[in-house]
Amino acid sequence: MQAKKRYFILLSAGTCLVLLFYLGGLQFRASRSHSWRRDEHSRNDLQKNADHPWQRFPDTLLPFIQWDQAESQDYNSQVSPRQKRDANSSVYKGKKCRMESCFDFTLCKRNGFKVYAYPQQKGDKISESYQNILSAIEGSRFYTSDPSQACLFVLSLDTLDRDQLSPQYVHNLKTKVQNLHLWNNGRNHLIFNLYSGTWPDYTEDVGFDIGQAMLAKASISTENFRPNFDVSIPLFSKDHPRTGGDKGFLRFNTIPPIRKYMLVFKGKRYLTGIGSDTRNALYHVHNGEDVILLTTCKHGKDWQKHKDARCDKDNTEYEKYDYREMLHNATFCLVPRGRRLGSFRFLEALQAACVPVMLSNGWELPFSEVIDWNQAAVIGDERLLLQIPSTIRSIHQDKILALRQQTQFLWEAYFSSVEKIVLTTLEIIQDRIFKHISRNSLMWNKHPGGLFALPQYSSYLGDFPYYYANLGIKSPTKFTAVIHAVTPLVSQSQPILKLLVAVAKSQYCHQIIVLWNCDKPLPAKHRWPATAVPVIVIEGESKVMSSRFLPYDNIVTDAILSLDEDTVLSTTEVDFAFTVWQSFPERIVGYPARSHFWDSAKERWGYTSKWTNDYSMVLTGAAIYHKYYHYLYTHYLPVSLKNMVDQLANCEDILINFLVSAVTKLPPIKVTQKKQYKETMMGQTSRASRWADPDHFAQRQTCMNTFASWFGYMPLIHSQMRLDPVLFKDQVSILRKKYRDIERL
């Protein structure tokens, strides 16, 4: 009987459970169906009512708009009215913005990556730092003055300092921004910011609604940083150079890598308002010997009102050490947070080849999207401060040297000037837009860096001369000779015809291109000598000097032998120069050398063609280099410099030497030649008169200074190395000499 009762109870319970699940399921499906219809109706309303000033905007933006403008009831029920108000006015109102949801790619695909900077309005207050940013944009190859051609927009309103207590603070910025006719809720806009928030909280709020604009921001936290949308930039001072910038301080004294101090820091200790608790604890690690961590309370007008028991002792110790001396004699430099996450000491440490030890939890490091900071810095945890000394002491000397060398590369490639910081920011955004040709990590983190490895040229590393060694690629085995012709062909004894024959006999010559920049018509085909390799004659574009460095499709080899029409070279000399270039494929290798010098009397750069013990240029009248430099010359250099070259019909060889030295940070390479080379170069041609013309050299000196001004420094580097065929990869015995036709000087 009891067994029957148990069976009945179990059967009843099972029936109830089935009914419960069935009824609940109906209600759930009905609720979900109703919710779907409501959401679909809401989306239709948005699509009908939304105003789209830019046509064909991606539909992927709709989920973001719906999330941002119609928050869920669950979220609203958990926050107070004040929190709602703060959230609506927050700088990160579009916190879920990404390139796919808040950026119009169609503008970039239509016209390429062009950047428009709003014209400055009369009466607008602009700091020197922001003016430098705008100048860097306007001087870049990305700039356009036509907003209809633009893919990215940058405000002329100064947004760098958004601290309300700062004299640089721009008032009424919210109204001014909203009144911009191209603002469009910030879409495709980039906002630069160094300082945000104010005492005592120093939040990351920039004081106005940025809408769907991207931020290029210093001291940005990982919490507020929007990956693949914002760009973290370094905090730089108002004295940071606009262009060029000083070189890093790691020179020839790299061994041993350990310096006088193991770890140093010197800075403020904050007594009021938000500050770094880490700085307050540094005295626990300071040992007064090789770990020098100093703080001072002396800042602010009323610091004495707030000083604690340790202030006097800290201030006394602080005054004993010179900051610059510590910086340049330390192996590691502590970079703790201050009022904000970023610090000036970050860039100071990089330049000084002092390995930064990052103690700023939650800081999105500058250009972290492309830079591997583990190769140049030690990233610590503020909670483990006491373990820092033992950690860095355990790092092997080889690793320390590698870290220091990487700090120098990163400093010179991306941080040494405002221009490089701005260009790096723009290049990162361009890589996001054109992902199929974006640079990979090696391009960004190896010499010469992302600014000089243009992905539009190629997305394959092996097409760039800098990466041959990294990839284990052998240098090219053939070259294309490009002969620059400016004189009519009137005689069969002209130097250009002899040069053609000599070059064509080279075992390494693939083809010869004659660039006809002469005003006279092209000579008939039968006027050119018969050769074993193809000879292609093409007319120069606009017959200007810069046309000799255009990236012609006819050039199918990676190596180019650049020649003037009156150059006198033997086949042996051509072979030897190319053999040398194969060992130095990233440099210019050739015969005619020139040098630069600083004229202290005139306080300007000078140019000399005298045969001295050193040189800094190898002229392209007889030089071999990689064809990528034609692409860089055409697409990287500004139009103003190329126009100067074309107007003067001079200096194109100097300009390409500037470019290659700026990229490689190395001098060109001179190879030795016949005794008579100098004299035979001055043949009976129209070019001979140019070398004797004093105006010719005056123009070249003017060019030198104009070029140095644009680069922001003098990139040319002196060298005394000359490679001789007897000593270069040849047997010592004269009887087995490879290049017997080349006489010793």
Side-chain angles (χ1 to χ4, degrees), residues 148-366:
S148 66
Q149 298 291 314
C151 163
L152 188 68
F153 300 82
V154 177
L155 303 179
S156 63
L157 299 165
D158 191 344
T159 56
L160 285 188
D161 194 342
R162 301 305 297 154
D163 185 341
Q164 296 179 16
L165 299 179
S166 170
Q168 302 292 343
Y169 182 80
V170 178
H171 295 274
N172 301 321
L173 193 57
K174 179 179 179 180
T175 303
K176 293 177 180 178
V177 169
Q178 295 296 332
N179 288 336
L180 296 172
H181 69 285
L182 297 172
W183 175 241
N184 195 30
N185 196 31
R187 257 179 229 168
N188 288 52
H189 280 67
L190 176 66
I191 294 172
F192 287 89
N193 176 253
L194 294 181
Y195 309 97
S196 60
T198 189
W199 189 91
D201 299 322
Y202 294 95
T203 64
E204 295 184 40
D205 192 344
V206 296
F208 67 99
D209 181 10
I210 66 170
Q212 295 162 6
M214 293 180 284
L215 276 173
K217 191 178 189 316
S219 306
I220 192 169
S221 65
T222 53
E223 180 183 359
N224 287 322
F225 180 76
R226 297 168 294 181
N228 197 38
F229 196 67
D230 293 331
V231 180
S232 176
I233 63 174
L235 182 65
F236 59 88
S237 69
K238 62 181 181 180
D239 299 321
H240 205 57
R242 184 178 69 84
T243 60
D246 295 330
K247 292 183 178 181
F249 296 136
L250 184 64
R251 291 291 186 268
F252 303 105
N253 58 338
T254 58
I255 305 296
I258 303 297
R259 299 199 236 184
K260 178 180 177 180
Y261 303 112
M262 176 59 70
L263 179 67
V264 301
F265 172 76
K266 189 176 183 182
K268 299 174 182 177
R269 181 161 69 85
Y270 303 106
L271 300 171
T272 60
I274 191 173
S276 173
D277 293 334
T278 303
R279 295 195 183 194
N280 292 331
L282 292 183
Y283 74 98
H284 290 295
V285 184
H286 170 79
N287 64 16
E289 296 176 359
D290 64 342
V291 178
I292 311 296
L293 307 178
L294 310 169
T295 59
T296 180
C297 303
K298 289 184 177 180
H299 57 88
K301 297 178 181 179
D302 55 351
W303 70 270
Q304 289 185 328
K305 296 179 181 178
H306 306 283
K307 74 175 186 176
D308 55 24
R310 245 185 38 242
C311 276
D312 290 336
K313 182 180 179 181
D314 287 353
N315 292 344
T316 301
E317 189 76 0
Y318 185 90
E319 299 296 334
K320 290 180 181 179
Y321 295 86
D322 178 73
Y323 175 63
R324 306 301 295 180
E325 188 272 336
M326 288 170 53
L327 187 66
H328 297 297
N329 289 282
T331 307
F332 295 92
C333 285
L334 199 67
V335 185
R337 75 170 72 204
R339 297 288 200 193
R340 300 175 178 88
L341 291 172
S343 168
F344 290 126
R345 282 160 188 79
F346 178 70
L347 289 187
E348 292 169 351
L350 279 184
Q351 183 182 12
C354 185
V355 180
V357 179
M358 313 305 302
L359 279 187
S360 185
N361 291 8
W363 181 23
E364 188 72 27
L365 295 182

Side-chain angles (χ1 to χ4, degrees), residues 483 495-505 509 512-514 527-529 531 533 535 563:
I483 303 177
I496 187 173
L497 300 180
K498 296 178 181 178
L499 182 63
L500 268 169
V501 173
V503 173
K505 289 180 180 179
C509 183
I512 299 175
I513 294 176
V514 177
R527 301 289 301 277
W528 303 104
T531 57
V533 298
V535 176
L563 297 164

